[in-house]
């Protein structure tokens, strides 16, 4: 997989202010405000930075957290995790491995079959509806 590498000014030109803040500066959108929090469409959620498919709507669920939540990435998705020690706590950060975009965080309190909750910022995602939508 070829990495997507752009300068800071290139990312600023491509992304909205909120998308840039969340994905390039590791920000977080306010809970319950994101476009995809209560979204019920069927299809694929993609990285807003590089367009890679990340999460299927089939794995999305309402976690009550205020952010779109998924119990696993799409098959073959370039999703990686890293330890995040910011803000005085230890969490698992979720990133797009193709472009290093910050997506959100993962927690081990999700539903089966994985028990994981990928808590992802709407600002980090684009959505492609399924063809039968």
């Amino acid at each position: 997989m070829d990495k997507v590498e752009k300068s800071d000014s290139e990312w600023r030109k491509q992304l909205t202010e909120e998308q840039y803040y969340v994905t390039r500066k590791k920000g977080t959108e306010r809970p319950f405000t994101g476009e995809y929090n209560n979204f019920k469409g069927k299809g694929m959620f993609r990285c807003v930075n590089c367009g890679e498919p990340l999460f299927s709507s089939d794995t999305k669920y309402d976690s009550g957290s205020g952010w779109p939540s998924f119990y696993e990435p799409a098959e073959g998705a370039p999703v990686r995790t890293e330890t995040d020690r910011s803000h005085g706590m230890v969490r698992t950060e979720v990133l797009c491995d193709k472009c290093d975009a910050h997506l959100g965080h993962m927690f081990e309190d999700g539903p089966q079959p994985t028990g994981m909750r990928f808590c992802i910022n709407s600002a980090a995602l684009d959505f492609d509806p399924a063809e039968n939508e």
Side-chain angles (χ1 to χ4, degrees):
M1 171 180 59
D2 291 332
K3 288 286 246 191
V4 173
E5 296 182 26
K6 295 184 180 186
S7 68
D8 190 63
S9 63
E10 288 174 309
W11 286 123
R12 283 183 182 275
K13 287 178 189 169
Q14 176 184 327
L15 304 168
T16 68
E17 188 174 317
E18 184 177 34
Q19 290 168 338
Y20 176 82
Y21 167 70
V22 168
T23 63
R24 305 318 307 174
K25 295 301 178 185
K26 299 182 185 284
T28 302
E29 64 198 12
R30 289 189 342 265
F32 303 101
T33 63
E35 176 181 5
Y36 299 121
N37 181 46
N38 292 318
F39 185 76
K40 305 289 188 216
K42 295 292 183 193
M44 184 62 66
F45 292 88
R46 295 180 174 275
C47 178
V48 75
N49 286 234
C50 68
E52 283 293 306
L54 300 174
F55 297 95
S56 167
S57 63
D58 293 340
T59 65
K60 187 177 185 292
Y61 70 98
D62 183 4
S63 68
S65 66
W67 291 275
S69 297
F70 305 86
Y71 61 78
E72 68 184 351
E75 186 174 336
V79 172
R80 80 170 191 274
T81 59
E82 294 182 358
T83 300
D84 174 3
R85 289 179 161 60
S86 65
H87 305 292
M89 59 185 112
V90 178
R91 299 178 291 173
T92 302
E93 180 182 9
V94 180
L95 300 112
C96 176
D97 198 35
K98 179 143 186 167
C99 67
D100 297 325
H102 169 78
L103 304 174
H105 289 89
M106 184 191 75
F107 304 92
E108 295 181 1
D109 61 1
Q112 292 306 315
T114 66
M116 300 297 173
R117 172 171 51 103
F118 289 82
C119 195
I120 307 299
N121 290 282
S122 291
L125 302 171
D126 272 334
F127 182 74
D128 283 342
E131 296 210 7
N132 60 359
E133 276 293 292

